[in-house]
Amino acid sequence: MASDRPAPAPTPPKPPLALRLRPWLILSISAVLMFLGFAGFGVWPLAFVGLVPALYVFDPVMKEHGGFARPTGRPFFWRAWYFGYASYVGGFYWVEYTIRTFGGFPLAVSSFFASAFWGFQGLEFALLVWLFRKARDNGWPATLVVVSAYLGVEGFFPMLFEHYYGNAFFDVPVLTQIADLGGPEMCTALAIVVNGAIYETLAARLTGKPLPRPAIAAAAGYVLFALGYGGYRLSSETAREASAETIRIASVQANLGLFERFDDPFEGVRRQRTMSDEVEATEHPDLLVWPESSVPVWLDNPRAFARFVPTLETPLLFGAIRHGEHGREHNTAFVTNADREIVDHYDKTYLLAFGEYIPFGDQFPVVYEISPMSGQFSPGDDVEPLPLELRDGRTYRASALICYEDIVSSFVRRAVNEGDPHVLLNISVDSWFGDTHEPWVHLALAQFRAIEHRRWLVRTTITGVSAFVDSTGRVRQHTGVFAPATLVGDVPMLSGTTTLYELAGPWPGWLGAIAIALMAWRRRELVPGDKPPDAASKPSGVVDKPSSDDEKPSARDDKPSARDDKPSTRDDKHAARDDKPSARQPNVDEETA
């Protein structure tokens, strides 16, 4: 009957607004710490704690600690994605300016496209914390999980601008030397293992658990290893550079703004030629370097170049454009000898999407009408080094890296492994990004190439930041932005050494991906003394309520089981055949009563 139906459970009251906003506020704090600690803002100590608040919000072991639940499903996704989105907005805020300036879009449109970029990259963090949650549900310790998840996701998630959390330490040479063992992710692991150990320690204090000694030991051990290895490599590389032959390189930054280049294309050539004549007369360099696209003509006839520099007597590496086979357009680095003759060239291989080409633009040419500032370049097909033929007869090899090729670690590794260059020469145009963090971030990311391959990196840009980076990743000298400048330095010619990174590549990412895959889909077998992960204690000061087992007897104690209550069919047959009880014989329950 309708009256026998149980009444519906009352709807639980909605938590106060402050309590509902608490996890979002904590994630906002974590996002701010993340991008302030990254290259750009450069407050590198924050890289050791930036992830801690987010781990507190997403760790399922914490249950409802702090007054809010650790949800699953859609609420979990939106929290995770928001964390990633906010982190990228702060770290890559300059993307909006670039789209607005480069594409000529109004603020609303450029903000929309920038948000699409930030939103896509935010999915990286959503994937990261999803893997973290799954592995924690399976009983794995937080530090091991977060290090593995971060390395695995960072190593394989697609990025328009390649970057790693470990780039946060670009200005701390003693901590970055481990990059020659496995790339920037060695530094990422350093930051994340400390984040994990701090989080586990705080979580243990909040829940009354013992201190996580393995996590603390792992973090302390890795920090000590990084410091020890860093000190050793700083010393050994200094000695190696001191014994190497050197050449004097002059980097010419003419400071020609983005729209100045279009108003008067040859103004840059005039400025660079004047600055080069001056530095030739005073510093007597062995090699001059001009930026990317510094000669704004189609240089299809190499002999025509000499008329641009009629008085130059020093070999020159510069950027221009040319037509290749089948009319393909190339962004190219050329190198001359002392007689102003072009002796070789390198066509840029790793093109910038939407800047130098539009994906699927060949199939849908109409997209170039929508974005007329985008180039239609084709990639080169080799990464052979360029010969540096000096006036005194010496010859060396240089790997030319155009624009953001110097931040693509796998590409530079390929170039070094195939060409064994003595020096890395990057030519770039960063004026697209304006007076923002990007030119400085570009330099910070590129510094790791010098460490990974133990060679000097000389960067020459048209508006800054130009720099000389030694084989330990230290910036020996640099220019500012949007000011003409010339840098001159004696650069050691280093080659013949092979680092572990050159041999094995980004193995930390592979190791992390394999480890997190196993932990996310395999439950940890508890060893004696371990407690299951869901046995988290309540906050200190809160008295636990007795469990249902303590409040009342279990169903097994309260009621006889079906086996006790009713004899089985087989028992009934035996009873009927053997015992023949009378109707008045009491049953077991009656006897017990």
Side-chain angles (χ1 to χ4, degrees), residues 288-372:
L288 287 163
V289 184
W290 290 3
E292 175 189 13
S293 303
S294 52
V295 178
V297 297
W298 291 100
L299 207 57
D300 296 330
N301 181 9
R303 296 180 181 179
F305 174 72
R307 65 186 175 89
F308 291 104
V309 286
T311 61
L312 207 63
E313 298 178 352
T314 302
L316 170 69
L317 186 140
F318 66 95
I321 50 180
R322 77 177 190 95
H323 287 105
E325 295 181 0
H326 310 295
R328 296 194 305 170
E329 301 175 4
H330 295 286
N331 185 357
T332 303
F334 295 89
V335 65
T336 73
N337 57 22
D339 297 323
R340 301 184 298 281
E341 298 171 338
I342 292 178
V343 296
D344 208 343
H345 69 270
Y346 159 74
D347 296 324
K348 185 179 181 183
T349 302
Y350 212 96
L351 300 180
L352 177 62
F354 303 102
E356 293 169 309
Y357 80 103
I358 297 179
F360 307 106
D362 292 340
Q363 291 77 20
F364 306 99
V366 69
V367 297
Y368 288 102
E369 298 179 12
I370 301 173
S371 182

Side-chain angles (χ1 to χ4, degrees), residues 88 92 95 99 112-122 160-161:
Y88 271 97
F92 289 78
V95 169
I99 296 173
F112 171 80
F113 286 121
S115 290
F117 167 77
W118 298 325
F120 174 75
Q121 294 295 161
L160 182 59
F161 301 98

Side-chain angles (χ1 to χ4, degrees), residues 234-252:
L234 289 173
S235 175
S236 63
E237 283 302 308
T238 300
R240 178 168 167 257
E241 290 178 357
S243 63
E245 293 184 359
T246 63
I247 67 172
R248 177 161 291 188
I249 298 178
S251 173
V252 179

Side-chain angles (χ1 to χ4, degrees), residues 35 41 83-95 114-115 117-119:
F35 68 69
F41 290 97
F83 170 54
Y85 180 86
S87 299
Y88 271 97
V89 168
F92 289 78
Y93 72 91
W94 42 265
V95 169
S115 290
F117 167 77
W118 298 325

Side-chain angles (χ1 to χ4, degrees), residues 134-155:
K134 282 186 66 68
R136 289 290 283 151
D137 277 333
N138 283 340
W140 297 95
T143 301
L144 176 62
V145 169
V146 71
V147 171
S148 301
Y150 212 114
L151 292 178
V153 172
E154 190 177 66

